Structures are given as structure tokens and as C-alpha cells.
Amino acid sequence: MPYTRKDDKRYQEELKKKIIELKKKKNAVILVHNYQRPGVQDIADFLGDSLALAQAALNSKAKIIILCGVYFMAEIAKILNPEKKVLLPVKEAGCPASDMITVRELQARKKEIPDAGVVCYVNSSAATKAESDVCCTSANAIEVVRSLPNKRILFVPDKNLGLYVKSQVEDKQIITWRGVCPTHVRVSLEEVLEAKKRYPDAQLLAHPECEPKVLKEASFIGGTGGMVKYIKNSGTKRFIIGTEQGLIYRLKKENPDKEFYSPSNHFICADMKLTTLGWVAHSLELGLNEIKVPEDIRVKAKKSLDKMLKITYGK
Ligand code: 13P
């Protein structure tokens, strides 16, 4: 019998069952980013931020990694696991910030400041990573920048994360790039102030990809993994979540006694929302959208990632 809208819940449950069966049959692991749709979060073997996903990809014993997130995340899984098949359910799921730098531009800038250490945010292409000394995520950017011997640091491509690091690391000169996350910069100071007025007893948590004037209003600044930890350990009951709304599903599930609000109804990453259970099942069943990285770029990009993982995890 064909499905109608009324049957959607049943259809979603059947898809989940199908994915679990396929996953077992094919020896696959499902890694899911914190911004994904609720149904996709529900089928995760591992749910986390960019750093945790990279680590989970590295630790996985499965033959196939299906990465529910955006392109650069699946690319990282492939860079770290060249022998494994890495699938991205929807190949169009990109990251606009990662496209705001080209290798040619980066090479030209490096020539102008040859003494600078180059730190690249993981929201970047494999080619950009290959041209950088070390990668970082929002969870370890300050630690990574501090670990470099260089006095000057070129931080690419996310300007707001670079400016936040600059505010925290006073003994280095941080040179930022022009990239921004269109989702995080869309949230205005006015919206954040309005939310704080509406929920006066709530704490504002903000992702460092937000604009500096928004960050100034926050009780806590950190990536999605940092927010999960902060909330778990906090005695506060109400929070305004200054990042993509997908995280709120996980926060509600893990903290049923706490309340979460988004400062804006447009805090949504369209690329992250492209992945649905239907696409996960389709990609897993047919082995579609396999990630490939040219070997010379992969090897160089891996060095930048390995260095980051060593700084963070000590191995
Ligand atoms: P996190 O690493 O904090 O999850 O952020 C990922 C991201 O892409 C933010 O836009």
C-alpha cells in the first residue's frame, strides 16, 4: 500500500529498521553530527562534534563509514581511513565557510608572511588542510594555536573563530581570513538581546563562529561538544542555544529536566538538513556517494589532522 502523510511516522520507523539491518549486513558504522535531523540522530552509532567525529572515524573497526554531516566531515573520515569506504548520504551537503578560501589564495598569503604558522579550521577542504601546518576545531582552536612556536599565526578560513582565538591568546599575532559561517553570522545581536529579555533566568551559550558582538553576551563560548558538557554539569535549568537548532534535540533528550531555546527561528544550516533517513538508507544500500581524496593531498592533509589529534589527545 502506498504511504500517505499520515503514515510518515510508520515510514520513518521502517526506514530506521532497514538502516539498522543494512548496517549489520554491510559492516558499517553510522557517525552523526550534532546538527543532524532528529531521526538521523536516533540511528547514530556515534553522535558528536567535528573533533569527536574525527576521533570516532579513526577508532572505527567497520568496513564502511557513513558520515551524516557535511562534506568536509566525510572527507576527514576518508583522510584518516584510506582503506575504508566512506559514504556521505547527500553529496551536495557542503559547508559554505570551507569554500571561502582557495589553495591559490592561501599559497599567495603564505608567501607574504612566510614566518607565520598556518592553522586551518576543520571546516575546510582537504586541499586547504594540505597547505596548512595544523588543523583545529572549535573544541581545541586555542590549544592548537598556543602549541605552535610561531609568533604570527595565519588562521583560516573562519574569521569569527580566528577573532575569538585572538581574544584568548594575547602573546601571538593572529591574522584572520574573510570566511564566515552564513548560519552563525545570520543571528543578530538584537535577536540575542531579545531572547535574553524573554528568558531572563536563562544562560546564553554561543558558538565561536558567531559574531564577536554576539559572543560578548554569552555566559559560555564553545563548540557543540563543549555546550553538551557545559549543560550536563551546570546547575542552571534554562539555556539559550547560540548555535544550529539541531543540537537542541540532543540536549533535550539528554537533559529532560532542563529547557532550551533558540535565539532565532532561522538558526538552521540548510546543508546539514539535507540528510534524511531515506538518503541514509539509499546511500548505504547502493554504496552511493563514496568520498575520494587524491593521494598526494590526502597524505599532506593527514599530517595536519594527525598533529591536531596529537595536541588534543596526546597520541
Ligand atoms: P562543532 O565542531 O562545534 O560541532 O561545529 C561544527 C560546525 O560545522 C559548526 O558550524
Side-chain angles (χ1 to χ4, degrees), residues 34-36 41 243-250 267 273:
N34 287 327
Y35 294 158
Q36 289 285 288
Q41 293 194 26
T243 194
E244 214 273 349
Q245 288 178 7
L247 180 66
I248 294 180
Y249 177 70
R250 172 173 180 180
F267 222 150
K273 294 323 192 224

Side-chain angles (χ1 to χ4, degrees), residues 134 141-150 153 169 172 307 311:
V134 59
I142 294 168
E143 195 186 358
V144 166
V145 166
R146 281 202 180 121
S147 77
L148 291 184
N150 315 62
I153 303 290
V169 184
K172 290 194 193 284
K307 214 162 160 188
I311 292 163

